[in-house]
Amino acid sequence: MSVRRPELGRFGAYGGRYVPETLVPALDELEALFLTCAAESGFHSELQGLLTEYVGRPTPVTDLPALSAKTGYRVSAKREDLCHTGAHKINNAIGQCLLAQRMGKQRIIAETGAGQHGVATATACARLGLDCTVYMGETDCERQRLNVVRMRMLGAKVVPVTSGTKTLKDALNEALRDWVTNVRDTHYVIGSVAGPHPFPMIVREFQAVIGREARATCLECYGELPDVGVACVGGGSNAMGFFDAFLADDQVRLVGVEAGGLGIETGRHAAPLTSGRPGVLHGAMSYLMQDEAGQVMETHSVSAGLDYPSVGPEHSHLKDTHRVEYCSVTDDQALEAFTEVARLEGIVVALETAHAFAAVLQPGFAAPGSRVMVNLSGRGDKDMETAARLLGY
Ligand SMILES: *Cc1c(COP(=O)(O)O)cnc(C)c1O
């Protein structure tokens, strides 16, 4: 693994470490250990072994003929939905839990909104014999009951957070508080390319396997790179992992799709890159949905996994430098794409992923004949109740 290390922990003006001083030694230790492990073949073979035998990598790239006929592009998908637990999040959870083991930290904490990152972390902990505590807003616990059951099934302790709006940002605060108190024996597994340095770098590197595989498969099967790469953006980890391998290929257009919720103009969305301003959340400077006073705004999205008011700092930099284009689609557009992909291709994608497909389905998204590769970040089984309610099934 050759690691792209951000200078001083910053991506342009973004990133950094806006955390209590007591955490700085732990962040330094984590960065040093990660860089050591990344250069070490023993760590590689252990990680690769788990990714192959346990997660099911490499995941395939699937041609989507009916979507291609409909859009006039040559559409294919990188199938992260076929990973164990049904999404890309496990790539990072396994990687970070291995790092924790190397640091001699037996206790893992995580925070989760929709519960997907909690499930991935609980899974990795079960497999590696680590103790797992997951913070989750009380409201989210009610909304995502099945994931709470799943985490407990896997042996994790789920702590409902009752402060503030009882959602993700409150769970984030609680997890950081726990980490400050127990940092000696505890590793905090952050679930996206967010948080203080070195987390955005580490999570990107653990997810970069997606783009590496996608690029290699594309060259092997088609003899060329894609013209366009598309991914949905919540915290930004599946997009960052997918984009990473193509950043140096100037001819590959990269598009990140945010959750436009009820419409950007309504203020009820989760699209900080589309309509936020730089600010600090979760220990990092990045585009953030905030009010006039700098208070973090409530988010809304049909997909719980995109419901995050900020975004990984590297995305903010990629937006400002125009290397990646960011756009948003509404709940309705995502739901339409969700149905379309299921009917046309027989793949029930996650509602998060449906946002990426919705962008591709917009008229004039790309030139006719373009080779468009979508990162299919996860499967939609978890979204059946929402679909039943909203689509009237
Ligand atoms: C969590 C999740 C996302 C959003 O998280 P990122 O860090 O932006 O990737 C997207 N798709 C699926 C399937 C998810 O579970």
Side-chain angles (χ1 to χ4, degrees), residues 87-89 116 191-192 232-239 305-306 350 352-353 377-378 382:
H88 66 289
K89 287 195 174 73
Q116 296 302 109
S192 194
C232 64
V233 177
S237 68
N238 87 85
L306 299 183
E352 291 83 2
T353 314
S377 57
K382 66 185 180 54

Side-chain angles (χ1 to χ4, degrees), residues 309-341:
S310 186
V311 63
E314 193 165 10
H315 284 290
S316 293
H317 183 57
L318 290 168
K319 171 188 159 74
D320 285 6
T321 54
H322 308 288
R323 176 61 188 96
V324 179
E325 286 166 43
Y326 295 91
C327 63
S328 69
V329 300
T330 63
D331 286 353
D332 287 347
Q333 289 171 321
L335 272 168
E336 205 179 306
F338 179 69
T339 310
E340 195 99 280
V341 178

